[in-house]
Amino acid sequence: MRRADPEGHGPVRFGPPLPGDGLPVLPELRAVLAEAAGSPHDCPVGGGRNLLESACGYWDRRGLPTVPERTVAGPGAPSLLLALTAALGGDVLVPRPCAVWWAPYARLLGRPVFHVPTPPESGGVPDPFALLETVRRVRAEGGDPRLLVLSVADDPTGTVAPPEVLHETVEAAASENLHLVSDETWRDTVHDPHGTVLLSPAEMLPDRVTVVSDLAGAFLPAGWPAAVARFPEGDGGTALHARVLDVLTALGARIAEPVAAAAGYALREPAPVTGRRTAAVRLHARLAEALHAAVVGAGALARPPRAGRQLYVDLAPLRTVLAARGVGDAQELEDFLTVRLGMPAPGGHRFGDELAALRVRLATGPLLGATDELRAACLTARAPEELSHVQRALTSVKAVFDDLRDDSRRWEHPR
């Protein structure tokens, strides 16, 4: 197909990155990285002891007791998911939509990927009945589903799955003997941690869940790739940990020593790191709320964002007016909105949705401004959405969507 060719809009090479926070690097992190840059030593494959102990402390504080012997670090979550997929074997199940980087690694290994619908209230976690139906259908057709990847705090939708939905899905997965990989990259970006209950599947099914967290979610700049994985209890977790280390060794997938030092510092959660994270979450929560109001006010559909720095917008109610402008699918919508908004608007087909569905992911980072000074001002402002440069950016977004809404009304009520 034209839109899948690598010279045009290839799904892997042109896939969107994680939504960045758009903020200057924390000075304390810069200092740690700079100090470690003089070291001539390599970080071991799987991570050095200091980094692994920092990761264990991070999970211990979240009610997931962990030991270094069941922990691995790698240069970004994609490398860890690739190693896990290779180690576990079999077919892969993911929700629809899902993070852009989940499916390509299974396909790279020649593993079939099956998308499962999510319930109406949230993304990231498959509907339990749809999951059972999909597993049984795949097996009836000769497939071998073994791995389910999910995320309670989700990219692309910015939602948090309710505990009752997660519990039913985890039970369904256990009944079908699936291994779960819980992508918890965004767990520390929940907008209202006192009003939103976030549970890890590893709390419910400790012997069948591997937790993966990319530190670009809440701790490190995206350009400093680092991620950690926590393996399940029991002999199965021990064997999986060993197989994953074998794959990472074969790939030479190790974290650069300066980045490993910064990651270890960040995961120990000293006051500068937690203070920045709290301020950044508050900032992006307010911007996500304003962005959500702008698109919903124009007649588009979007679940209220509860985590992360993004929301997922469905423009199906505006399909007629978009068709009049030459927009009939997600790739054309991506092209159309990217130009008009002046910011990335990756289409839903990047996240496993059907090409015909008019969906895009919008991020809040581009609203912060073009310079470090403007972005830093957002971080300390009591009402960042009222800063002049942020207000201009939001007004520009609102104008694009309001224009579509007004055209839609003219279509409905011709003069």
Side-chain angles (χ1 to χ4, degrees):
M1 290 179 62
R2 176 178 62 84
R3 294 183 188 87
D5 102 55
E7 299 303 318
H9 300 90
V12 177
R13 284 174 50 205
F14 294 87
L18 291 175
D21 68 8
L23 296 167
V25 178
L26 188 67
E28 289 82 359
L29 279 177
R30 290 203 310 266
V32 172
L33 184 114
E35 183 178 354
S39 171
H41 303 295
D42 287 338
C43 183
V45 172
R49 187 76 183 187
N50 287 341
L51 174 54
L52 298 184
E53 288 179 349
S54 295
C56 291
Y58 165 82
W59 278 309
D60 287 347
R61 291 188 293 275
R62 284 151 183 80
L64 293 173
T66 310
V67 295
E69 291 72 25
R70 293 188 182 277
T71 309
V72 158
S79 64
L80 297 182
L81 184 58
L82 173 64
L84 280 161
T85 306
L88 286 163
D91 303 342
V92 180
L93 300 155
V94 296
R96 185 191 299 275
C98 68
V100 71
W101 52 274
W102 288 0
Y105 296 92
R107 295 190 179 115
L108 181 66
L109 294 167
R111 306 284 167 73
V113 178
F114 298 93
H115 289 267
V116 186
T118 56
E121 58 265 44
S122 63
V125 174
D127 176 89
F129 299 104
L131 175 64
L132 291 172
E133 180 182 346
T134 302
V135 169
R136 290 162 188 173
R137 173 178 57 82
V138 170
R139 285 183 177 145
E141 294 172 355
D144 181 23
R146 296 188 198 175
L147 172 61
L148 169 64
V149 187
L150 48 72
S151 56
V152 180
D154 182 48
D155 174 33
T157 65
T159 59
V160 176
E164 58 272 16
V165 171
L166 178 64
H167 183 75
E168 291 177 4
T169 298
V170 168
E171 280 194 336
S175 72
E176 296 297 334
N177 205 33
L178 300 177
H179 189 91
L180 280 71
V181 170
S182 176
D183 175 10
E184 300 187 6
T185 296
W186 301 102
R187 73 167 295 157
D188 295 297
T189 67
V190 172
H191 296 171
D192 181 9
H194 300 294
T196 303
V197 178
L198 187 151
L199 294 179
S200 170
E203 298 177 63
M204 304 177 181
L205 201 64
D207 60 341
R208 297 197 68 83
V209 177
T210 300
V211 176
V212 172
S213 181
D214 196 302
L215 302 191
F219 290 99
L220 295 181
W224 301 5
V228 288
R230 175 192 183 273
F231 289 82
E233 301 172 2
D235 292 342
T238 301
L240 180 59
H241 175 267
R243 291 199 299 273
V244 164
L245 279 177
D246 286 343
V247 176
L248 293 175
T249 301
L251 294 173
R254 67 181 76 221
I255 304 176
E257 181 60 35
V259 175
Y265 171 80
L267 285 169
R268 289 193 291 275
E269 299 183 284
V273 170
T274 56
R276 163 60 74 87
R277 186 179 66 214
T278 299
V281 169
R282 172 186 172 274
L283 165 63
H284 285 283
R286 293 187 72 119
L287 295 183
E289 183 181 358
L291 195 58
H292 180 263
V295 299
V296 171
L301 304 174
R303 297 182 181 106
R306 302 293 184 219
R309 306 183 280 264
Q310 68 278 348
L311 68 154
Y312 200 56
V313 185
D314 187 346
L315 283 87
L318 302 172
R319 181 177 291 276
T320 300
V321 68
L322 285 166
R325 299 188 182 201
V327 176
D329 63 30
Q331 181 60 66
E332 290 168 347
L333 182 62
E334 175 182 309
D335 296 340
F336 176 85
L337 286 179
T338 297
V339 170
R340 282 157 182 78
L341 295 174
M343 57 188 275
H349 60 305
R350 308 286 186 190
F351 309 100
D353 256 331
E354 297 293 342
L355 183 64
L358 294 177
R359 298 181 185 130
V360 294
R361 186 190 71 186
L362 299 180
T364 51
L367 303 173
L368 300 183
T371 68
D372 280 352
E373 291 75 15
L374 290 175
R375 297 173 191 133
C378 294
L379 196 61
T380 57
R382 182 180 296 274
E385 68 278 12
E386 295 178 5
L387 293 174
S388 58
H389 68 283
V390 177
Q391 206 166 49
R392 284 194 298 272
L394 285 168
T395 299
S396 177
V397 171
K398 187 173 185 300
V400 170
F401 282 95
D402 284 352
D403 182 48
L404 293 173
R405 178 201 62 197
D406 294 344
D407 268 9
S408 179
R409 288 174 178 173
R410 284 192 285 271
W411 276 86
E412 293 171 4
H413 305 289
R415 296 181 186 276

